[in-house]
Amino acid sequence: VGGKLKAAGEAGAGTDEAPESRILVFVRLRPMSRKEKEAGSRSCVKIVNRKEVSLTEFSSENDYLRLKRVRDSQFCFDSVFPDSTTQAEVYSTSTADLVEGVLQGRNGTVFCYGATGAGKTYTMLGTMENPGVMVLAIHDLFSKVTQRNHSIKLSYLEIYNETVRDLLSPGSPLNLREDKQGTVAAGLTQRSVYSTDEVMELLQKGNKNRTTEPTLVNETSSRSHAVLQVAVEYRSLDGVNLKVGKLSLIDLAGSERALATDQRTQRSIEGANINRSLLALSSCINALVEGKKHIPYRNSKLTQLLKDSLGGSCNTVMIANISPSHLSFGETQNTLHWADRAKEIKTKTQTTVNEEVLDQPDSKTMLVLELQKQNSV
Ligand code: ADP
Ligand code: MG
């Protein structure tokens, strides 16, 4: 049963240390699909109020038609989104504040967690008609960035079978390395973008490059983690200061305990690796919650990449996606368990922004900046 929630930042108030906040955790319930209805699904998820959700376990015993209620468990989160919630509502409640921070030179991360088919990609990428968090965040950035000395750059990568690949220009696998801004993928394409339409097109194209494998359980299902990184650079008018805010938006692979299905083929190896990244994620979550000294980030590519977001100075949001159907009870229970655990993770509030003093610009840059300055008044 979920405990009481404390407001972000509350924990460290009144001390000299960097104030602590915690990962904000949201749950999004998707509508029952036609397939689920046809299979005789009953809803096992009930939204109690804006923050609470209850999960009912049914037992069919030998009589499939007469499901018996076994028990209810209740969970509390920062917000619970019913199936009628729009993409814009999900964005404004979960992510809009992070975007504000990024504009001021802070880092933010949003990741979607849940079983295959629970609505992660719909939430993150969405469709042309109903764009998701990735697109709405960038749209919001464009509308707030009016000065010419801002630039927005995108990179989009996937982690598949513990290999990192560039989704914007697919080619050979990339290596991860540490630098002073955190973990970066060496040689990853960074694309400057100027309009929301361009971004949508880029992401749709990138998503086609994602590795999907048909499994025996689902026709197609995402076996990879997709990570969109948006870097917003702000150069002061005199060209001396550079602020960089980084927003990471992550569509994780399905969290179902894959795969008891096809043991002798590629898919069992795949399953092991998906488990490796998600398992490593759960080990890190556990270690962080328990306040351990050593957090095993290096156990997988995903946790290496998420190191900053989980344990560093970063504002982090988790969106847990769930299906209402009682046929997915096990997956939903698993998702709510990890979501409940994740809200215990303390992060450090970033009190300073990512800012550096650049070398004195050369004379040509000075001239450009001077002209910009004149034009902006
Ligand atoms: P996942 O990425 O978690 O495997 P998807 O996002 O692909 O799952 O969702 C599975 C299906 O359910 C898709 O057809 C998607 O369009 C639909 N879907 C998911 N969430 C919603 C929602 N909130 N409203 C309407 N349709 C949804
Ligand atoms: Mg998906």
Side-chain angles (χ1 to χ4, degrees), residues 52-246:
E52 284 171 291
V53 62
S54 84
L55 179 66
T56 304
E57 184 172 0
F58 289 107
S59 156
S60 58
E61 281 167 12
N62 298 320
D63 187 353
Y64 183 75
L65 293 174
R66 261 186 279 147
L67 292 171
K68 233 175 62 200
R69 214 183 185 95
V70 179
R71 74 175 73 82
D72 284 342
S73 20
Q74 199 143 323
F75 300 83
C76 180
F77 298 101
D78 289 284
S79 242
V80 179
F81 301 120
D83 62 6
S84 55
T85 313
T86 63
Q87 298 281 64
E89 285 162 348
V90 171
Y91 169 74
S92 64
T93 309
S94 65
T95 310
D97 285 351
L98 260 59
V99 165
E100 277 301 323
V102 167
L103 281 169
Q104 286 151 27
R106 295 187 168 83
N107 297 333
T109 299
V110 182
F111 63 93
C112 278
Y113 180 89
T116 295
K120 299 179 298 299
T121 303
Y122 184 83
T123 297
M124 273 298 160
L125 185 67
T127 58
M128 282 297 191
E129 303 76 50
N130 288 305
V133 167
M134 286 176 171
V135 184
L136 296 176
I138 295 167
H139 183 71
D140 202 9
L141 280 172
F142 279 130
S143 75
K144 286 175 176 155
V145 166
T146 45
Q147 290 143 308
R148 272 188 238 143
N149 39 355
H150 267 107
S151 77
I152 299 178
K153 288 180 191 157
L154 295 191
S155 60
Y156 198 23
L157 63 82
E158 77 162 354
I159 302 171
Y160 175 72
N161 274 354
E162 291 303 301
T163 306
V164 180
R165 287 199 180 84
D166 194 337
L167 288 174
L168 295 184
S169 52
S172 23
L174 308 175
N175 292 319
L176 293 183
R177 62 175 166 74
E178 301 271 330
D179 79 1
K180 70 173 193 290
Q181 272 138 40
T183 311
V184 292
L188 182 65
T189 310
Q190 270 209 320
R191 188 82 63 89
S192 293
V193 287
Y194 305 94
S195 77
T196 309
D197 288 349
E198 187 191 354
V199 169
M200 190 71 198
E201 208 171 293
L202 211 62
L203 293 183
Q204 294 280 357
K205 226 163 91 190
N207 239 45
K208 295 225 172 71
N209 291 328
R210 275 185 80 172
T211 312
T212 53
E213 284 274 323
T215 66
L216 301 183
V217 184
N218 299 283
E219 283 162 32
T220 57
S221 61
S222 294
R223 295 284 160 223
S224 71
H225 311 288
V227 181
L228 174 71
Q229 285 185 324
V230 188
V232 181
E233 278 182 17
Y234 169 83
R235 207 174 275 267
S236 61
L237 285 177
D238 57 11
V240 175
N241 291 299
L242 180 71
K243 271 191 218 169
V244 188
K246 201 173 75 179

Side-chain angles (χ1 to χ4, degrees), residues 308-328:
D308 272 356
S309 315
L310 294 171
S313 301
C314 181
N315 297 312
T316 302
V317 164
M318 172 181 190
I319 302 175
N321 289 97
I322 56 174
S323 145
S325 166
H326 82 284
L327 299 169
S328 301

Side-chain angles (χ1 to χ4, degrees), residues 338-356:
W338 285 109
D340 193 50
R341 196 105 173 109
K343 74 191 190 205
E344 307 291 322
I345 301 178
K346 304 278 194 302
T347 53
K348 291 174 210 83
T349 301
Q350 196 175 349
T351 47
T352 56
V353 298
N354 311 323
E355 188 165 22
E356 55 184 290

